[in-house]
Amino acid sequence: MNPVEASRPGPFTRLRPVATAIMLGVTVLGATLPAPAFAKGPASLADLSEQVTDAVVNISASTTVEARSSRTMPQLPPGTPFEDLFEEFFNKRGGRGGGGGGNSEEAPRSRKSNSLGSGFIIDASGIVVTNNHVIGDANDIQVILHDGTKLKAEIIGKDSKIDLAVLRVKPTADRPLKAVPFGDSDKMRPGDWVIAIGNPFGLGGSVSAGIVSARGRNIESGPYDNYIQTDAAINKGNSGGPLFNMDGEVIGINTAILSPTGGSVGIGFAVPSNTSKQVIDQLREFGEVRRGWLGVRIQNVDDATAEALGLKGGARGALVAGVDEKGPAKTAGLDVGDVIVKFNGTAVKASSDLPRIVASTPVGQKVDVVVVRKGEEVTKAVTLGRLEDNEKPQQANLKQPDADNAVRQALGLNLSSLTDDLRKRYNIKDGQKGVVVTRVDPSSNAADKRIQPGELIVEVGQEAVSTPADVTKRIDALKKDGRKSVLLLVAAANGDVRFVALGLD
């Protein structure tokens, strides 16, 4: 593990500390600037800080790996005039065993890297919570209490998807530990005051205050993003530290910042307590996380897709683009083209909501899943399976159309029935059925939606098609029904499918 902060793609940054210089005595020349306006907060946060500070800890994680030098002495012909000179040079610098042992490589050397972060105690028996990225693959972890006491920690369990880790330490008889409780993150509203306590830049326990800026943030860092955004100053080294409400309850675990500079610019993100609690409970009980699994591949529903599907209430839900043949959804009767709008009583507003809701549902639980199918709501009872890390959803079976060699043009697409020659030309997977796209008008909406030659049109308006004539006939029928867009089920040559909505101009 590199002690230097590892950055996410783009401006999002994990909060590990790096070495930094503190600039003092900087003077701004020029006109006097007005003082910035700040929201008026509580008169003092000192009592709250004193109440919870002893439960916040620093985390020191060290990783020791063996590094072997690959330096070798150049192979010189026997009797070379400078052979003795090269031999002496490399022996002095550790080559050939560093001591003239005649080996071409050095003996293994240990290389140690360190990381600092934050955490907090949730059980006085010695249970500590932090971020997974703070400890990484460390083989030596120390929890440093507020008074400087160092306790060796062992890992109970960790979860990379939510970026959490649970540690255990053994408290000493003369130094009992103080724990802090979790609060209800769902009760937090934008504008509520919060404080963050942690170890920014390795400086030690520091307190900062701010408000909840937003909830439910998706920063595309993982499959279950649902962050609390705050403007409380959090920096590298605050990772794993708690975000408290005004009652001294942990309502978030600080994990990321949005920053072009690497320091706080007032946009930080914390894992909500209600997302964390179930994961932490499972890590404590099983040493791993056991998530529910539905067995579908989904995509988002935009306005054009909603209109093409006749989805009342506008764009919402998660569109099923693939169904695992061995998954719970297949057994329950869910199908490609269904729009999941409610899961176990919880509304699915966007496709990103569904993985998080399903994952938080216990394995083996029977739930009702409400889908919109051809404009009508249908309820299916599904018994959830268990999500495996290497699970790869397969695609739903597609109806097999008859062959036809006619070529038609529609929606800016040149279409052809699937032949052996076309299957070979485009390397189309055996068993794939549909109408082949042979050309895409570069000025068409289809080109904008990235439909490519060699892909297959499998369904038009949720009806299977087998010939170009089927495609044009279905489009004409949709136009007569007053539809302004058409939903295509498009399959790539390798079998992956997706839905594409195109306007009917």
Side-chain angles (χ1 to χ4, degrees):
M1 186 191 328
N2 194 317
V4 176
E5 171 60 28
S7 298
R8 296 181 179 189
F12 293 102
T13 305
R14 295 289 193 193
L15 296 173
R16 296 181 205 166
V18 294
T20 183
I22 302 177
M23 299 181 65
L24 302 176
V26 177
T27 303
V28 179
L29 302 178
T32 301
L33 299 177
F38 294 100
K40 185 177 180 181
S44 175
L45 296 171
D47 290 341
L48 174 59
S49 177
E50 287 182 1
Q51 174 186 334
V52 298
T53 294
D54 284 344
V56 182
V57 300
N58 296 340
I59 306 290
S60 174
S62 300
T63 305
T64 303
V65 297
E66 286 189 353
R68 181 183 291 274
S69 173
S70 60
R71 290 185 306 173
T72 60
M73 191 182 84
Q75 297 299 309
L76 303 174
T80 300
F82 297 104
E83 183 178 6
D84 292 340
L85 179 62
F86 275 106
E87 177 108 15
E88 181 181 1
F89 178 85
F90 272 84
N91 283 344
K92 285 183 177 179
R93 286 156 179 79
R96 302 189 64 172
N103 297 324
S104 61
E105 290 188 354
E106 294 183 52
R109 293 179 177 179
S110 294
R111 179 172 58 85
K112 193 172 185 178
S113 61
N114 300 300
S115 174
L116 293 175
S118 304
F120 56 100
I121 301 167
I122 62 170
D123 189 318
S125 66
I127 304 301
V128 178
V129 173
T130 186
N131 282 151
N132 174 63
H133 79 262
V134 168
I135 63 170
D137 296 321
N139 42 34
D140 182 18
I141 304 171
Q142 287 192 329
V143 168
I144 306 170
L145 305 181
H146 184 61
D147 65 358
T149 301
K150 295 182 179 180
L151 302 174
K152 187 174 180 60
E154 63 173 321
I155 300 173
I156 294 177
K158 54 184 182 178
D159 177 42
S160 60
K161 291 184 172 63
I162 301 294
D163 193 21
L164 292 179
V166 179
L167 311 176
R168 179 186 286 116
V169 297
K170 293 182 180 180
T172 59
D174 60 340
R175 183 61 172 86
L177 301 180
K178 179 175 181 178
V180 285
F182 281 109
D184 187 350
S185 56
D186 289 343
K187 291 183 179 180
M188 300 302 293
R189 300 177 300 163
D192 281 342
W193 283 94
V194 290
I195 66 170
I197 303 180
N199 181 28
F201 298 107
L203 294 174
S206 298
V207 181
S208 59
I211 61 170
V212 172
S213 303
R215 285 178 46 196
R217 286 297 195 214
N218 181 357
I219 61 175
E220 299 182 356
S221 66
Y224 311 120
D225 279 14
N226 181 35
Y227 290 106
I228 294 172
Q229 180 183 328
T230 179
D231 68 349
I234 54 178
N235 286 284
K236 298 171 183 179
N238 277 106
S239 267
L243 191 68
F244 290 103
N245 62 17
M246 293 297 101
D247 294 323
E249 299 170 326
V250 178
I251 52 85
I253 302 173
N254 302 319
T255 190
I257 58 174
L258 173 61
S259 174
T261 64
S264 174
V265 294
I267 304 178
F269 300 95
V271 181
S273 58
N274 288 1
T275 300
S276 308
K277 284 186 290 188
Q278 185 181 28
V279 172
I280 292 169
D281 289 343
Q282 290 194 32
L283 290 176
R284 294 182 67 178
E285 183 176 358
F286 307 117
E288 62 181 358
V289 181
R290 301 177 179 180
R291 293 187 168 92
W293 176 54
L294 184 58
V296 294
R297 187 166 65 83
I298 58 174
Q299 67 182 71
N300 208 29
V301 179
D302 57 21
D303 291 335
T305 303
E307 198 280 333
L309 288 168
L311 190 61
K312 299 175 183 178
R316 61 192 175 101
L319 178 59
V320 177
V323 180
D324 192 299
E325 288 295 329
K326 299 180 181 179
K330 182 68 174 180
T331 303
L334 270 68
D335 205 354
V336 174
D338 288 343
V339 180
I340 300 173
V341 294
K342 186 177 290 187
F343 184 91
N344 198 25
T346 302
V348 179
K349 298 179 182 179
S351 61
S352 58
D353 294 339
L354 187 62
R356 175 171 45 82
I357 298 171
V358 173
S360 63
T361 306
V363 176
Q365 182 171 324
K366 190 173 184 178
V367 300
D368 286 337
V369 180
V370 180
V371 304
V372 175
R373 179 178 293 175
K374 296 185 178 180
E376 301 295 329
E377 284 196 356
V378 180
T379 300
K380 298 290 185 179
V382 182
T383 301
L384 292 186
R386 179 180 173 183
L387 178 67
E388 302 294 341
D389 287 341
N390 59 352
E391 204 68 62
K392 294 183 179 179
Q394 300 177 6
Q395 309 309 317
N397 284 336
L398 305 178
K399 298 178 181 179
Q400 298 183 0
D402 298 327
D404 189 331
N405 289 325
V407 177
R408 302 288 177 110
Q409 186 173 5
L411 302 173
L413 302 173
N414 280 46
L415 305 174
S416 175
S417 294
L418 181 57
T419 65
D420 290 340
D421 288 342
L422 288 175
R423 188 182 295 277
K424 184 176 180 180
R425 181 194 307 176
Y426 293 116
N427 197 27
I428 296 172
K429 183 180 178 181
D430 290 342
Q432 283 292 101
K433 306 293 182 180
V435 182
V436 184
V437 177
T438 57
R439 181 182 177 276
V440 181
D441 184 342
S443 63
S444 67
N445 188 212
D448 293 339
K449 294 295 181 71
R450 298 183 180 180
I451 295 179
Q452 302 287 333
E455 292 188 314
L456 299 169
I457 306 299
V458 180
E459 292 182 3
V460 178
Q462 295 186 284
E463 288 190 9
V465 291
S466 59
T467 68
D470 290 343
V471 176
T472 54
K473 182 179 178 180
R474 182 63 179 142
I475 290 171
D476 289 341
L478 291 171
K479 287 182 177 179
K480 289 180 181 179
D481 290 340
R483 293 291 180 87
K484 296 180 180 179
S485 58
V486 57
L487 190 68
L488 307 179
L489 180 61
V490 180
N494 65 359
D496 290 341
V497 298
R498 72 186 191 281
F499 284 98
V500 177
L502 299 179
L504 291 175
D505 297 326

